[in-house]
């Protein structure tokens, strides 16, 4: 009788250990821990791609303006969960480009390039329509360049934000660092 009872207790403990391990595995999968620059499909929260933020808090997006076909580069800093635009460079005052500074901003010209600096425009996210033909939106981060359409698709509307993601989200999205088509 005692032996049967001992086997029953050990069997119950094994079941409890297995249940405990399953709960631990689920918690590991769903607990956000990796602060990343995230590219989401529109405003759905569905992660298309992410860039783990470890040793950098600066990035920029370079593109060709769709109307006046000249280069534009927007510079950003990550502060907490916000994306702060700090600088803008461009070559043409045409539609969509500023012609002067506001507040504490500085407006200068260097050769053909206009520079709007000392910007401090904070956003919880940045929405971007990825160019289909000319724009060639490119993420520049940690001295690497990544064509945004390569992990989102051309013509797609994406939301860029800073977000802690969990292991499950990491497995579903594209880690931009692991892409083979990046350039130094």
């Amino acid at each position: 009788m005692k032996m049967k009872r001992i086997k029953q207790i050990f069997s119950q403990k094994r079941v409890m250990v297995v249940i405990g391990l399953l709960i631990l595995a689920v918690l590991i999968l769903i607990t956000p821990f990796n602060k990343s620059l995230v590219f989401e499909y529109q405003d759905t929260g569905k992660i298309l791609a992410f860039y783990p933020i470890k040793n950098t808090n600066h990035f920029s997006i370079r593109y060709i303006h769709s109307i006046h076909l000249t280069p534009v580069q927007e510079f950003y800093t990550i502060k907490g969960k916000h994306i702060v635009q700090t600088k803008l460079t461009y070559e043409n005052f045409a539609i969509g480009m500023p012609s002067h500074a506001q507040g504490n901003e500085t407006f200068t010209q260097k050769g053909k390039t206009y520079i709007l600096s000392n910007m401090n425009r904070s956003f919880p996210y940045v929405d971007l329509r990825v160019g289909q033909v000319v724009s060639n939106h490119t993420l520049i981060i940690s001295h690497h360049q990544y064509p945004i359409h390569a992990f989102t698709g051309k013509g797609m509307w994406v939301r860029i934000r800073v977000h802690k993601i969990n292991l499950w989200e990491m497995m579903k999205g594209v880690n931009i660092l692991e892409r083979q088509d990046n350039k130094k």
Side-chain angles (χ1 to χ4, degrees):
M1 251 342 194
K2 283 185 178 182
M3 196 58 146
K4 189 175 182 182
R5 179 70 181 138
I6 291 172
K7 286 181 182 180
Q8 188 178 29
I9 290 171
F10 278 121
S11 177
Q12 288 172 346
K13 284 186 178 182
R14 267 191 243 137
V15 167
M16 294 303 287
V17 167
V18 169
I19 290 172
L21 289 173
L22 286 173
I23 290 171
L24 181 62
V26 167
L27 286 174
I28 289 171
L29 278 174
I30 66 170
T31 302
F33 68 94
N34 192 1
K35 187 175 181 181
S36 299
L37 186 65
V38 174
F39 290 78
E40 297 176 346
Y41 177 71
Q42 299 177 358
D43 59 354
T44 65
K46 178 185 176 209
I47 296 174
L48 300 170
F50 64 93
Y51 185 96
I53 300 168
K54 292 178 183 159
N55 301 322
T56 187
N57 64 342
H58 302 281
F59 71 96
S60 65
I61 297 176
R62 185 183 61 223
Y63 58 95
I64 302 298
H65 196 280
S66 61
I67 297 174
H68 46 83
L69 304 177
T70 57
V72 177
Q73 190 161 352
E74 300 174 355
F75 296 83
Y76 298 95
T77 297
I78 296 167
K79 291 186 180 176
K81 287 187 164 190
H82 279 79
I83 298 171
V84 180
Q85 186 176 17
T86 58
K87 184 169 138 181
L88 175 67
T89 63
Y90 54 98
E91 294 181 5
N92 194 314
F93 281 120
I95 296 171
M97 305 309 324
S99 60
H100 63 280
Q102 298 176 354
N104 293 329
E105 298 172 351
T106 307
F107 186 80
T108 56
Q109 182 177 0
K110 189 173 184 179
K112 297 188 316 182
T113 304
Y114 300 103
I115 304 164
L116 187 55
S117 57
N118 201 35
M119 298 171 74
N120 190 24
R121 299 179 185 183
S122 183
F123 307 100
Y125 55 83
V126 174
D127 285 341
L128 173 70
R129 172 75 65 181
V130 180
Q132 293 186 50
V133 182
V134 176
S135 298
N136 194 27
H137 288 93
T138 302
L139 171 68
I140 302 169
I141 191 166
S142 297
H143 308 291
H144 289 79
Q145 299 180 29
Y146 305 93
I148 295 174
H149 69 82
F151 48 86
T152 63
K154 292 183 177 185
M156 186 176 287
W157 165 37
V158 294
R159 176 161 285 171
I160 305 168
R161 67 185 181 115
V162 179
H163 182 62
K164 281 189 178 178
I165 61 175
N166 60 42
L167 193 56
W168 180 251
E169 291 168 320
M170 289 172 66
M171 290 188 300
K172 291 187 334 185
V174 173
N175 184 340
I176 297 171
L177 280 175
E178 295 174 356
R179 295 208 48 92
Q180 296 299 319
D181 58 348
N182 61 33
K183 301 171 187 167
K184 283 196 176 195

